[in-house]
Amino acid sequence: AASSRSAGESEAEATMSSKRSRGSASSSASKRQQVVEIVDDYDAGPSRRADAEGKAREAADYMRKIQQIKALQNDVIFTGKVSAEEMNSLVGTVMRYVLFRTGQHKSQPIPRNDIAALVTKKYPGPARQGLTKLVIAKAQGQFADIMGLEMKELVRRTESGEASATRSYILRSLLPKRYQEAVAGPKRGKERERERQEKSLLLVILMMISLSGDQMTEAKLWEHLGLLGIEKDTKHATFGDTGSAMLYRFVRQRYLQKVAKKSDNGRVWLYQPGENALDEIDQMSLSDAISKTLQKGHNMSEMIEID
């Protein structure tokens, strides 16, 4: 009997050992298979490798932009004395104000004077020399580092095209375009579709102004918009607003600027590109968009992406 039990135990141990060996082999094979799958995923073909390399470049550009923005504060000269706690409080106040104004009026730049008032109210006189600029630079760094946003400074141009003393700020996403839709979510995606439609109209207006020598009279602009079915006081079926309301919105957002000019027939109103448009769209991209439009067959919203 003892011999029988011993034989049975030996057989059971052999069976368990065999199962462990198979389990270990199966686990090793599974791990090897996973490694093979990962390698296969990367090496599936040139298009996938190119996509991976493109993402790596985008990530590097993203981090480089953040570091450049954070370094802006190093160029500011401030000789006054403000404690770290007070400085953090000022920076936080500016950031909250910019976020609030952006939420209220999207795409509408915030005048620098409005932001500066938050600092000068607490630190008037000589003590504020350079302080406003430092607080803004620190806020820009925090927006980039924490939220992936650029608090971009816009410079208004004079009628002759020279930079004026008027400054304003607007928040732009630093994320690559491919990720902005995913972060926005489905609801925000619908809003972006509506915005894209409006920005397509804006692009058409900017192209018409560009072809007219970077300025166009109000009468001539309405003449061209009328050919597109956009009337001053009639709500448009797609845009859901009157032509006047849309132009007013573009001016408030500083994509367009409306200036008065004297003529033999009295005062004439001219439309020119605003600083927001000049910052987002370089002349080469605009010229390329005009060329593609004249060649036909191109979707307006696909030619230039406007935030």
Side-chain angles (χ1 to χ4, degrees), residues 156-159 250-251 254-259 270-275:
R156 185 170 299 185
R157 301 286 172 178
T158 63
E159 187 179 333
F250 292 151
V251 171
R254 301 305 304 166
Y255 283 115
L256 298 175
Q257 67 176 4
K258 187 177 180 181
V259 298
L270 298 172
Y271 279 94
Q272 300 171 342
E275 58 269 28

Side-chain angles (χ1 to χ4, degrees), residues 81-91 93 96 115-125 127-128 131-132 135:
K81 293 183 179 180
V82 177
S83 69
E85 184 179 351
E86 290 174 313
M87 180 62 73
N88 289 336
S89 176
L90 285 171
V91 172
T93 298
R96 285 191 295 273
I115 297 174
L118 300 172
V119 179
T120 57
K121 179 174 63 176
K122 190 172 183 180
Y123 293 90
R128 73 168 187 260
L131 180 57
T132 297
V135 170

Side-chain angles (χ1 to χ4, degrees), residues 63-256:
M63 294 306 300
R64 184 165 53 251
K65 287 178 184 176
I66 289 177
Q67 294 307 317
Q68 289 173 347
I69 294 171
K70 289 173 66 177
L72 291 174
Q73 60 187 284
N74 299 333
D75 299 328
V76 180
I77 299 175
F78 174 60
T79 57
K81 293 183 179 180
V82 177
S83 69
E85 184 179 351
E86 290 174 313
M87 180 62 73
N88 289 336
S89 176
L90 285 171
V91 172
T93 298
V94 167
M95 291 179 70
R96 285 191 295 273
Y97 179 76
V98 170
L99 286 170
F100 176 75
R101 284 284 297 266
T102 301
Q104 274 193 321
H105 309 288
K106 188 182 181 329
S107 296
Q108 186 172 315
I110 304 166
R112 188 182 190 279
N113 290 341
D114 292 358
I115 297 174
L118 300 172
V119 179
T120 57
K121 179 174 63 176
K122 190 172 183 180
Y123 293 90
R128 73 168 187 260
Q129 188 68 32
L131 180 57
T132 297
K133 191 173 182 179
L134 180 59
V135 170
I136 289 175
K138 284 182 175 292
Q140 289 173 314
Q142 293 274 13
F143 271 124
D145 194 33
I146 299 173
M147 302 181 187
L149 296 172
E150 181 180 16
M151 181 179 162
K152 187 69 180 288
E153 182 181 71
L154 303 178
V155 181
R156 185 170 299 185
R157 301 286 172 178
T158 63
E159 187 179 333
S160 60
E162 298 176 355
S164 72
T166 305
R167 302 285 195 274
S168 59
Y169 293 88
I170 191 166
L171 288 181
R172 301 199 199 285
S173 176
L174 288 170
L175 285 174
K177 296 295 183 184
R178 71 167 87 196
Y179 301 116
Q180 290 184 24
E181 292 288 352
V183 172
K187 183 177 180 181
R188 179 73 182 113
K190 293 179 181 177
E191 288 180 28
R192 283 186 69 85
E193 180 58 32
R194 173 69 181 272
E195 290 168 5
R196 193 176 286 113
Q197 292 172 344
E198 280 198 8
K199 295 301 171 63
S200 295
L201 171 63
L202 171 62
L203 184 55
V204 170
I205 293 173
L206 290 172
M207 288 193 292
M208 289 192 295
I209 292 174
S210 177
L211 290 170
S212 298
D214 289 331
Q215 63 181 19
M216 180 180 281
T217 65
E218 184 175 31
K220 183 62 70 174
L221 178 58
W222 280 118
E223 181 182 330
H224 288 299
L225 289 176
L227 296 174
L228 298 175
I230 298 173
E231 304 293 340
K232 271 188 179 183
D233 303 315
T234 304
K235 283 192 175 183
H236 194 273
T238 300
F239 303 113
D241 225 331
T242 64
S244 295
M246 287 188 286
L247 273 189
Y248 177 73
R249 188 155 55 246
F250 292 151
V251 171
R252 290 289 299 272
Q253 293 170 347
R254 301 305 304 166
Y255 283 115
L256 298 175

